[in-house]
Structures are given as structure tokens and as C-alpha cells.
Amino acid sequence: MDYQRKIAHHVASIPRSGIRDFFELVQGRDDVISLGVGEPDFVTPWHIREAAIYSLEKGQTSYTSNLGLLSLRKSISRYVENFFHVGYDPAREILVTVGVSEAIDIALRALLNPGDEVIFHEPCYVSYSPSIVMAHGVAVPVVTTQEEEFSLKPEKLAAAITPKSRVVFINFPTNPTGACASREDLEGIAKLAIEHDLIVMTDEIYSELRYDQEQPHVSIAALPGMKERTILLHGFSKAFAMTGFRLGYACAPQPIIEAMMKIHQYAMLCAPIMSQNAAIEALEHGQPSVVAMRDSYHERRDFLVKRLNEIGLSCHMPGGAFYVFPDVRATGLSSKEFAMRLLEEENVACVPGSAFGPSGEGFLRCCYATAFEDIRKATEKIECFVNRLR
Ligand code: PLP
């Protein structure tokens, strides 16, 4: 059978994730030091795992409400109010999802009619452009540069807006660059969203991982006039080291949550109950663990950025997440050649910047959610590799 003809055109047109391609090469190799996977190296804190186990012990193995356990939504509401300074009604304005991944998918499917444009800043997380296409939208990337510290400048956003624009999709701190937007940039983005009547989707999955305490995280949802047009996406994977629990949430005005819920109830029904119980424990008692993990990432970030710059790979100091994004153009290699040869010759895995959109070309994503000793060894190996290229 000619299966290509059986697959929907818009799905066939989507490329496979560049990260996945690269990690298929890594698999099966021994002694690789990986700065590749965007996942905490910490195991989920014990008290959170215990809450999941206890949930099973008590025999809580059923479906929950489609929106998620009300007790969890109440915890989310309190947490979001404290942390983001914006209030959401747990009964109507919060939907618990299977990771932020699901929340992105159903938000886009709920909002877009075929041909609607979604503007996002690039380099960006690998799922954004495919998720837009799968929702029959048109992906409109706005290139951000190292000189702009990879923030989205309002004037660039303004230039990308057309009569078909429907959504602006932002992610600060950013995967893969670690970029953080200033309040001023967020205010400029908010002003444009209001002027052009756009919905803003904001993926704030790395918001707890901000390292410059004098510049605390600001959510665009909390800016004047923005709650009514913002979908705030957040989850437990990164700050609480809970990737395998597959839990996230969306906070938004009730009609948007209702539309997303319709898709969620048919596609997913609900998020797993044991993960939801664990998430309540994370929100209620997890802050000390979050702070300890953040402090550890902070130390690793400072070390890695300093070493990469010493090695001659120009690297801006990212304000958040757990990625650095050094410039490898001076070596004369493309980002893919650099990453492949680093893997072949030094057994160090980093992701080519081009996996995060064409504007990531010339850069490398290094994830420092890896043991400090491995980061130290990796930088020695990167130094040997770069010296050999000279
Ligand atoms: N959004 C961003 C920016 C990410 O980096 C990731 C995972 O790497 C996700 C969403 C997916 O998160 P989740 O595990 O909650 O599905």
C-alpha cells in the first residue's frame, strides 16, 4: 500500500523533531556525556513521589473530573496568584492537562480556524511550529538574535502582524536560549496584542528557573488588560522535576477553557489521578526542593557560560531555564556538523541549534541539568575539539 497517500497532507509535511533524530544517534553509544536532553537530572523529590504512591495505596485509580481534581485546581489557583500575581477561578478558569504539551495542542486547536496566523519567536521549542500546523494554522516565526538576547522585541512583532494574525505565542524563559523578556518588552507585546485584538499564549514552564533575583519573573497575563486575552500555560515537568508524571495546566478566561476542555475531554478525558495527587503535594510543599534545584542549576549555568566564553564560543548569559546557547559560527562548522563531530570525536552530545528553527543555525543548545562533574568534563572535551579546529 502507498501509505504516504493515506497520511493527511498537513501531517506528512511536518518534519520529525531534530532532537529526536540526533538522540537516535546518541543511543547505543557508550560513555557519552549528554548536555542534550532538556530534562532535570534530579529525581522527583521523595515527598512528591510518596504522594503518588499513597494515592495508589488508597486505591485512587479512577478518572477525575475532565477539568482535573478540584483540590488540585484550587492549589494551582493559589500558586498562580502568589507566583504570577493573577487570579483564576478554580471552578471555571483552570484546566489540568497531560503536560504543557497537551495544553499547547488543545489551545491552538481551540483557537485557530484554517489559515489563521500564529506569531512566535524563534529559535523556539521544537513543538510550536508543528503544533500550529497540526491545528491548521500558519506558523509565523519572528527571528530573535543573540544581540537582542533572544527576547522578542515589540517592533519586530509589530512588523509580523497581518489581518490574519490571531495568536501571539511567547515562551520566557525560552527553550533553547534561556532568554527572559524584560517587563518593557512584555508591555510592548501586550500593547500590540490589545491594539490588534490578539490572543496571547504564554508558555511559562521555566518560570521558577530564573536566576537573577533582582529581576523576578513577570507573566504577561498579569499586565493590565491582559488576563482577558491570555492563555497561561504551566506545568510540573521542569521546576518540580516531574517530567514522567505528564502534568500541566492552562489558565484562561472561562470560554477559552471551555473550548479547550471540549477537545481534552474527547482526546484525553483527564490527566492521571496519581499524578494529580502528586502535583497537589508539589504545589503545597515543594518550594524548598524547587529552590534547592534552582540554586544548583544557577551554579552550573555560571560555570558553563564562563567556560564556553573562555573556549572561544561566544555565549550570552541566559536569565533562566537550564540551557545555554553558544555561538559556534567562528569554527566555520554548521551547527549540525559541530554537534555531529563533537559526538563522534569527543563523545559529548549537544543539540544543533538548527533543531529549534532555521534561526538557530550557527548555535548549539547545551542543557546544564546534568551532574556538575559531567559538565566540567564536557567543557574540557569541547575545548580540545575547538582547539583542534583552529
Ligand atoms: N514547553 C517548553 C518550552 C518545553 O521546553 C517543554 C519540554 O521540554 C514543554 C513545553 C513540554 O513540557 P511537558 O513535559 O509539560 O509536556
Side-chain angles (χ1 to χ4, degrees):
M1 187 177 306
D2 180 359
Y3 287 106
Q4 274 319 306
R5 293 189 50 201
K6 303 288 178 203
I7 307 293
H9 297 319
H10 69 293
V11 176
S13 74
I14 295 170
R16 279 159 46 108
S17 156
I19 300 187
R20 191 173 144 194
D21 278 355
F22 193 70
F23 279 91
E24 279 177 7
L25 294 174
V26 174
Q27 262 164 23
R29 292 179 73 103
D30 291 332
D31 298 329
V32 173
I33 301 179
S34 179
L35 305 185
V37 186
E39 178 159 39
D41 61 327
F42 295 103
V43 175
T44 310
W46 169 244
H47 65 107
I48 300 174
R49 283 183 273 154
E50 201 175 30
I53 295 166
Y54 191 42
S55 164
L56 285 169
E57 267 181 6
K58 283 190 292 188
Q60 292 177 335
T61 54
S62 59
Y63 293 133
T64 68
S65 144
N66 295 132
L67 288 173
L69 292 169
L70 183 58
S71 46
L72 173 57
R73 283 180 278 136
K74 285 183 176 166
S75 287
I76 292 171
S77 174
R78 276 195 298 275
Y79 183 83
V80 169
E81 175 107 49
N82 281 337
F83 189 73
F84 297 98
H85 310 296
V86 49
Y88 290 97
D89 176 357
R92 297 152 14 103
E93 295 181 322
I94 298 173
L95 170 65
V96 178
T97 57
V98 179
V100 172
S101 303
E102 190 218 349
I104 292 169
D105 177 43
I106 61 176
L108 290 165
R109 285 203 273 161
L111 295 175
L112 300 183
N113 287 309
D116 286 343
E117 293 177 357
V118 180
I119 306 173
F120 56 98
H121 50 103
E122 200 206 81
C124 66
Y125 179 48
V126 290
S127 86
Y128 292 175
S129 180
S131 299
I132 294 164
V133 172
M134 285 192 284
H136 302 282
V138 176
V140 181
V142 173
V143 171
T144 62
T145 64
Q146 196 180 28
E147 294 68 42
E148 299 159 340
E149 297 191 335
F150 298 105
S151 181
L152 174 60
K153 295 292 162 198
E155 51 282 12
K156 281 196 170 175
L157 171 61
I161 294 173
T162 76
K164 291 196 165 173
S165 304
R166 195 161 174 97
V167 177
V168 180
F169 190 0
I170 61 175
N171 165 228
F172 296 110
T174 309
N175 176 6
T177 59
C180 294
S182 64
R183 175 180 274 273
E184 202 185 355
D185 284 348
L186 289 177
E187 282 169 353
I189 296 166
K191 188 163 173 278
L192 287 164
I194 293 170
E195 263 168 38
H196 295 271
D197 194 20
L198 305 173
I199 295 286
V200 173
M201 283 173 58
T202 177
D203 175 350
E204 302 193 18
I205 192 166
Y206 295 102
S207 51
E208 289 89 349
L209 303 179
R210 290 275 317 234
Y211 303 110
D212 306 310
Q213 293 308 311
E214 63 282 7
Q215 288 190 333
H217 181 74
V218 177
S219 173
I220 196 165
L223 298 183
M226 287 307 290
K227 183 190 159 188
E228 67 188 58
R229 59 178 64 252
T230 301
I231 306 179
L232 170 61
L233 308 173
H234 199 13
F236 297 85
S237 288
K238 311 294 176 172
F240 294 99
M242 291 174 66
T243 47
F245 284 79
R246 307 306 308 125
L247 211 67
Y249 54 90
C251 302
Q254 188 271 339
I256 295 181
I257 289 294
E258 178 61 25
M260 289 172 66
M261 206 277 287
K262 278 197 219 160
I263 307 172
H264 172 79
Q265 75 184 2
Y266 294 126
M268 213 58 75
L269 219 155
C270 66
I273 186 169
M274 45 298 254
S275 296
Q276 294 193 51
N277 280 316
I280 296 173
E281 173 63 23
L283 292 174
E284 298 298 328
H285 304 114
Q287 269 319 295
S289 309
V290 170
V291 170
M293 289 189 271
R294 185 181 65 213
D295 288 349
S296 168
Y297 295 138
H298 191 165
E299 210 183 318
R300 305 179 211 183
R301 175 199 70 163
D302 291 352
F303 174 80
L304 185 54
V305 171
K306 180 168 162 287
R307 286 292 290 126
L308 289 169
N309 281 302
E310 281 169 4
I311 292 166
L313 300 178
S314 151
C315 183
H316 82 292
M317 180 64 85
F322 39 49
Y323 309 104
V324 296
F325 206 58
D327 183 347
V328 298
R329 286 173 292 187
T331 64
L333 299 180
S334 73
S335 63
K336 200 162 182 183
E337 283 164 347
F338 189 104
M340 294 291 281
R341 283 189 53 186
L342 185 64
L343 180 63
E344 292 294 331
E345 297 175 28
E346 297 289 345
N347 252 356
V348 174
C350 299
V351 184
S354 53
F356 306 95
S359 58
E361 179 48 43
F363 294 82
L364 201 64
R365 189 191 78 173
C366 309
C367 172
Y368 51 87
T370 290
F372 199 97
E373 191 44 28
D374 281 348
I375 296 174
R376 202 185 52 70
K377 279 194 213 143
T379 54
E380 279 168 17
K381 287 166 168 281
I382 294 171
E383 186 162 36
C384 289
F385 176 66
V386 170
N387 283 343
R388 270 204 310 280
L389 293 173
R390 289 206 167 100

